[in-house]
């Protein structure tokens, strides 16, 4: 029995920690006037469980102490600990390194994304101001807006395919071609990529419907509903980078994730969460300053107010666009290659 528990130690640890949390909740329920007892049990017990499991995994000293001291976060860290996979901090370090050393190349694609946004926002601004000044909306202008609504997402999607391929090339030290060539090559993968994204969207719709009926239900059940998203997360990368089409892309993604669910979740959540949090803080700060300085202008409905508000939106878009390699593209692409290498080593 001990051999079985050691072989499936991740599940054993997860069950033990879950039972420990239920014990803490039980203490709060049966001793509501003595919450400090539950707190002491939670702190001491969480430290002890994580310390024993960290010792079993032979986690480095600093990670061992921190994961034991901060047991809720440490729980997820230890579930996702794998010395044979690139760590979350290392992924962040390589992300910054790759962006820094390919700044000019990546900036060209970021600029292309921003030009699409700038064109659309500029036209919408003109349309809104035209409506205020004339009191009517031109049917021709509305038709153009409808065409832009259809065309720009398609152009952005093709550009996204090309940019992901360029990042993948730079990760393996290959030289990408001119942007026009990469976009042309990306267009060949448009329909296979669309198939994968539509399948994921369908799954998202099903999950949304299920979760709407599961509000307040036990958290593990909700995790089971959301788990398929992690299994198929790398299907779009399989299409775009390795030209794997249809259901084979989903099969490859499942193979990459198999037996590495928590490890992958941790290595995705930390880099993307940290970079996104930094960017959001910067944008929130600039938004707060702008609103404080321009409150008398942006609160109105004049042409000037529309112009200032949309200009402000463009500034935010500029920040989000030029940090997208950090918050969207590079970390999962690095992890895709790491998992592919591990899978090939296994085979």
């Amino acid at each position: 029995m001990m051999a079985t528990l050691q072989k499936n130690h991740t599940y054993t640890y997860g069950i033990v920690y879950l039972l420990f949390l239920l014990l803490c909740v039980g203490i709060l329920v049966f001793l509501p006037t003595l919450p400090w007892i539950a707190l002491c049990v939670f702190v001491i017990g969480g430290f002890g469980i994580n310390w024993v499991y960290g010792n079993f995994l032979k986690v480095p000293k600093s990670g061992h102490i921190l994961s034991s001291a901060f047991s809720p976060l440490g729980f997820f860290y230890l579930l996702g600990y794998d010395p044979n996979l690139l760590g979350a901090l290392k992924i962040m370090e390589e992300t910054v390194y790759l962006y820094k050393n390919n700044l000019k190349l990546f900036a060209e694609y970021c600029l292309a994304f921003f030009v699409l946004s700038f064109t659309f926002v500029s036209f919408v601004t003109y349309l809104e101001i035209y409506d205020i000044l004339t009191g009517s909306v031109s049917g021709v202008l509305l038709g153009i807006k409808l065409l832009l609504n259809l065309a720009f997402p398609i152009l952005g999607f093709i550009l996204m395919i090309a940019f992901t391929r360029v990042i993948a090339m730079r990760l393996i030290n290959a030289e990408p071609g001119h942007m026009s060539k990469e976009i042309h090559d990306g267009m060949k993968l448009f329909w296979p990529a669309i198939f994968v994204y539509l399948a994921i969207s369908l799954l998202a719709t099903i999950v949304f419907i299920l979760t709407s009926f599961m509000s307040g239900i036990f958290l593990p059940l909700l995790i089971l509903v959301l788990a398929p998203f992690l299994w198929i997360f790398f299907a779009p990368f399989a299409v775009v980078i390795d030209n794997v089409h249809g259901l084979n892309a989903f099969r490859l993604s499942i193979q990459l994730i198999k037996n590495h669910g928590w490890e992958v979740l941790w290595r995705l959540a930390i880099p993307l969460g940290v970079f996104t949090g930094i960017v959001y803080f910067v944008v929130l700060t600039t938004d707060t300053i702008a609103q404080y300085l321009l409150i008398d202008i942006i609160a109105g409905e004049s042409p000037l107010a529309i112009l200032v508000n949309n200009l402000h939106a463009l500034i935010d878009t500029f920040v989000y666009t030029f940090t997208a390699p950090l918050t969207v593209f590079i970390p999962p692409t690095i992890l895709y290659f790491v998992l592919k290498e591990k899978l090939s080593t296994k085979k």
Side-chain angles (χ1 to χ4, degrees):
M1 183 178 177
M2 284 301 297
T4 304
L5 291 176
Q6 288 186 349
K7 183 180 179 181
N8 302 290
H9 56 81
T10 302
Y11 299 103
T12 305
Y13 169 62
I15 292 170
V16 169
Y17 199 90
L18 182 61
L19 292 175
F20 163 68
L21 291 180
L22 289 175
L23 172 64
C24 294
V25 172
I27 293 174
L28 280 175
V29 170
F30 291 104
L31 297 173
T33 57
L34 300 171
W36 60 271
I37 296 179
L39 179 62
C40 289
V41 171
F42 177 74
V43 172
I44 297 171
F47 183 93
I49 293 171
N50 283 2
W51 183 267
V52 171
Y53 189 57
N55 202 38
F56 172 79
L57 294 175
K58 296 182 173 57
V59 177
K61 188 174 181 180
S62 58
H64 194 184
I65 295 173
L66 289 173
S67 62
S68 301
F70 302 96
S71 67
L73 284 176
F75 169 72
F76 291 102
Y77 169 73
L78 292 175
L79 274 181
Y81 180 75
D82 186 345
N84 299 316
L85 275 180
L86 203 64
L89 295 178
K90 189 66 177 176
I91 290 175
M92 291 174 61
E93 182 183 326
E94 291 202 6
T95 298
V96 174
Y97 177 83
L98 187 71
Y99 192 20
K100 179 182 175 183
N101 285 274
N102 297 276
L103 186 59
K104 183 179 178 181
L105 175 63
F106 291 173
E108 291 177 2
Y109 285 86
C110 293
L111 182 61
F113 281 115
F114 180 71
V115 167
L116 287 177
S117 300
F118 178 81
T119 304
F120 183 76
V121 172
S122 297
F123 182 80
V124 170
T125 302
Y126 173 76
L127 193 64
E128 291 175 348
I129 293 175
Y130 180 88
D131 182 23
I132 288 180
L133 294 178
T134 62
S136 63
V137 179
S138 167
V140 175
L141 293 178
L142 287 176
I144 295 174
K145 183 183 178 184
L146 178 61
L147 288 175
L148 293 179
N149 279 329
L150 294 173
F152 280 12
I154 294 174
L155 293 174
F157 188 72
I158 295 172
L159 189 59
M160 182 183 70
I161 293 173
F163 189 34
T164 304
R165 288 170 59 83
V166 167
I167 290 172
M169 290 179 198
R170 294 308 301 136
L171 275 172
I172 59 175
N173 293 319
E175 286 296 330
H178 190 269
M179 184 188 291
S180 58
K181 178 185 180 301
E182 297 303 331
I183 290 175
H184 178 266
D185 292 343
M187 289 175 67
K188 298 174 184 176
L189 296 168
F190 179 79
W191 290 113
I194 282 290
F195 169 78
V196 168
Y197 276 101
L198 285 178
I200 293 175
S201 299
L202 177 62
L203 178 63
T205 304
I206 295 171
V207 167
F208 177 78
I209 294 172
L210 288 175
T211 51
S212 64
F213 290 106
M214 294 177 64
S215 56
I217 293 181
F218 201 40
L219 180 61
L221 294 178
L222 188 59
I223 292 174
L224 287 176
V225 173
L226 297 175
F229 278 110
L230 184 62
W231 299 337
I232 62 175
F233 179 84
F234 291 107
F237 293 87
V239 175
V240 171
I241 296 173
D242 290 319
N243 202 16
V244 180
H245 293 188
L247 296 177
N248 289 329
F250 292 102
R251 291 192 188 100
L252 177 57
S253 179
I254 291 171
Q255 286 179 340
L256 294 175
I257 300 293
K258 189 177 180 181
N259 299 324
H260 299 295
W262 282 109
E263 292 92 329
V264 171
L265 181 62
W266 181 259
R267 284 159 178 78
L268 282 173
I270 296 301
L272 296 180
V274 170
F275 288 132
T276 302
I278 293 172
V279 173
Y280 179 75
F281 176 77
V282 172
V283 170
L284 184 64
T285 303
T286 57
D287 285 354
T288 303
I289 294 172
Q291 288 178 3
Y292 178 77
L293 297 176
L294 303 171
I295 187 65
D296 293 333
I297 297 176
I298 63 177
E301 294 184 359
S302 64
L304 180 60
I306 292 173
L307 188 63
V308 170
N309 276 309
N310 288 346
L311 179 62
H312 184 206
L314 277 175
I315 294 172
D316 287 352
T317 302
F318 181 86
V319 175
Y320 284 127
T321 301
F322 279 83
T323 54
L326 302 174
T327 59
V328 178
F329 290 97
I330 299 178
T333 307
I334 291 175
L335 190 53
Y336 175 76
F337 277 100
V338 169
L339 292 171
K340 256 197 356 172
E341 184 179 355
K342 190 174 180 65
L343 181 64
S344 64
T345 304
K346 261 187 194 176
K347 290 182 177 180

